[in-house]
Amino acid sequence: MLLGLELLALHFSEPLAYYLIIKGKKLQEVEAEGYVPVSIVIPTYNEGDKIRDKLLNVMKSYPLEYAEIILVDSSTDNTVEVAKSLGIPIKIVKERERRGKIFAVKEGIRNASNDIVVITDADALWDDPLIDAIKYLKGEIGAVSCIKRSNRGAENAYRNFYNVIRLSESAIYSTPIFHGELTAFRKSLLSADEIPNAGADDSSIATLIALKGYRAICTKVRAFEYSPKGLDYFSWKTRRGLHLVRHFIRFLPKVMRSKNNKYKAIFLEEFYLHLINPWFLALGVVLTAIYLPKLFLFLLLALLITLVIPQSRELVKAWIPNQFFLIMAQFKALRGEFLMWKKESK
Ligand code: GDD
Ligand code: MN
């Protein structure tokens, strides 16, 4: 019964091979041609303790005279008052009731006066100037996003691995996964009504832009976000996983029908990594434990060793739970879209 072992080998070697093959690809540099007017949409739900730092960060990242800031708010706390207290021009769209981030995002896009729309979460901070991302928004590039870092070690190791993959996919053509910390696109290419009422607004925008024949890329602009602690970390990871699972299933038929083979290949690889590869780990573990118990113990020992080596420790610590979260996410995804979620403590 070598099947278990083969599944385990495939589980680890496939992503590693993908990583090593695409890793060297570099995005073609673009010169910034100067500031252009942008609309910055911030959806907010009870961000009273984060919104001040968020707005200060936005102001530091892009000149205010070129930025129209739009807050689409459904808070029950003092988010709007705190935002107003900064004394800068902000367009506030107050929602009658809370309906979920996606409705706020679409309302924000409808209210945007500029062609370049930047969507950004209130609990995320940009490390780099916004211009370094939006300077790419011309010609064949229709949407841009960021790479990410977090305050949590294991989450960061996982991020670093995926940041390389996002940037390399972007250099090859496009990436189907975007981040809500910074999602910018040209409104003339995509209207709010075309965006599905889904949890992963960010990745929907990326994929819709790619399906229209434009590129959707992640840039080296980095965004910081706090990861929730304790049990909230679990619900946060499975919720995000669930959004991605539904994203991949929703767009699979459309991507398969498209004639863009480069995009198809990248999308299918990510579909595999998020929906199929996690099962190979679970099945591989079960089959090996049953049929090859001695070898299984040996593999456990090898795993323990990777947890001691500093170079692999954080990635392994993040990788294994993440596969578990992705499997949980598939079960959760069966219950439908999840548009409103509890605010995790960060
Ligand atoms: N107006 C409004 N209404 N805003 C909301 C609502 C809502 O019902 N729910 C969340 N928001 C706002 C938050 O205040 C925050 O600014 C932003 O939307 C993101 O919400 P978080 O609660 O911080 O979500 P997250 O960071 O865990 O979710 C991430 O992953 C998702 C994919 O799974 C983000 O990157 C999302 O953008 C992404 O879609
Ligand atoms: Mn967040």
Side-chain angles (χ1 to χ4, degrees):
M1 263 318 267
L2 281 177
L3 179 63
L5 206 57
E6 283 163 10
L7 289 177
L8 286 180
L10 189 61
H11 171 82
F12 289 104
S13 60
E14 209 284 346
L16 187 65
Y18 184 54
Y19 176 89
L20 293 174
I21 290 169
I22 69 171
K23 151 175 188 268
K25 302 275 185 280
K26 294 270 173 300
L27 192 66
Q28 206 176 345
E29 277 298 327
V30 161
E31 282 297 314
E33 279 164 20
Y35 295 114
V36 287
V38 299
S39 295
I40 302 179
V41 175
I42 311 175
T44 48
Y45 173 66
N46 293 352
E47 302 286 1
D49 59 339
K50 297 256 171 12
I51 195 66
R52 190 184 150 81
D53 285 348
K54 174 71 192 178
L55 292 169
L56 292 175
N57 178 254
V58 166
M59 285 158 67
K60 201 176 79 189
S61 190
Y62 207 74
L64 211 49
E65 58 267 41
Y66 289 96
E68 172 193 47
I69 300 178
I70 307 171
L71 220 72
V72 189
D73 182 77
S74 59
S75 306
T76 51
D77 73 351
N78 60 347
T79 303
V80 170
E81 289 74 50
V82 177
K84 281 184 179 163
S85 72
L86 262 94
I88 54 168
I90 302 179
K91 200 188 243 185
I92 291 172
V93 182
K94 190 78 194 158
E95 299 179 282
R96 245 177 289 129
E97 52 172 354
R98 181 185 184 202
R99 293 198 295 161
K101 183 192 171 196
I102 186 67
F103 292 97
V105 163
K106 286 162 72 163
E107 202 45 39
I109 298 171
R110 288 190 194 101
N111 275 278
S113 328
N114 302 308
D115 186 37
I116 294 185
V117 180
V118 182
I119 302 158
T120 180
D121 295 345
D123 61 339
L125 300 173
W126 300 328
D127 290 348
D128 305 299
L130 178 62
I131 189 81
D132 292 346
I134 59 170
K135 67 180 182 186
Y136 288 98
L137 281 175
K138 52 190 165 199
E140 57 170 10
I141 299 178
V144 295
S145 187
C146 57
I147 53 174
K148 305 216 297 192
R149 73 180 173 92
S150 139
N151 58 325
R152 198 182 157 114
E155 179 69 18
N156 251 342
Y158 172 79
R159 277 290 147 223
N160 290 342
F161 179 79
Y162 276 102
N163 283 341
V164 171
I165 291 188
R166 290 287 84 76
L167 289 173
S168 310
E169 288 176 342
S170 304
I172 294 170
Y173 184 68
S174 284
T175 179
I177 300 180
F178 259 27
H179 306 302
E181 289 75 15
L182 197 177
T183 286
F185 69 102
R186 284 147 64 187
K187 198 178 159 178
S188 47
L189 301 178
L190 179 72
S191 73
D193 297 332
E194 293 173 79
I195 303 172
N197 291 336
D201 56 282
D202 36 19
S203 300
S204 294
I205 290 174
T207 302
L208 286 167
I209 288 283
L211 285 170
K212 283 173 185 268
Y214 291 87
R215 290 172 62 194
I217 62 160
C218 279
T219 65
K220 278 193 191 142
V221 169
R222 198 180 290 264
F224 170 80
E225 67 162 344
Y226 288 100
S227 298
K229 298 179 209 77
L231 275 184
D232 272 3
Y233 183 71
F234 288 81
S235 57
W236 183 69
K237 291 297 287 190
T238 29
R239 165 168 58 75
R240 289 180 170 209
L242 139 84
H243 287 161
L244 277 182
V245 165
R246 292 194 62 94
H247 168 74
F248 280 115
I249 291 176
R250 164 178 288 110
F251 285 105
L252 181 69
K254 291 190 188 86
V255 172
M256 291 310 287
R257 281 198 299 273
S258 94
K259 300 225 161 48
N260 189 329
N261 288 333
K262 265 193 205 164
Y263 191 64
K264 215 183 272 182
I266 294 172
F267 186 95
L268 286 177
E269 170 63 25
E270 291 298 339
F271 186 101
Y272 167 83
L273 287 180
H274 285 84
L275 278 93
I276 300 167
N277 203 40
W279 287 102
F280 290 170
L281 177 66
L283 274 174
V285 164
V286 173
L287 291 177
T288 316
I290 295 175
Y291 294 104
L292 302 165
K294 276 193 195 136
L295 187 70
F296 183 69
L297 286 179
F298 173 77
L299 289 177
L300 272 187
L301 193 71
L303 182 71
L304 283 180
I305 293 172
T306 63
L307 285 174
V308 184
I309 303 171
Q311 285 88 342
S312 55
R313 183 172 50 215
E314 295 299 326
L315 182 59
V316 175
K317 248 167 70 188
W319 185 268
I320 311 273
N322 260 294
Q323 306 308 306
F324 168 76
F325 295 138
L326 286 169
I327 291 178
M328 296 296 292
Q330 293 189 26
F331 287 111
K332 255 193 160 175
L334 293 172
R335 286 192 267 153
E337 277 299 344
F338 196 66
L339 300 182
M340 266 191 281
W341 50 83
K342 178 184 141 285
K343 225 179 127 56
E344 288 95 4
S345 57
K346 284 168 196 155

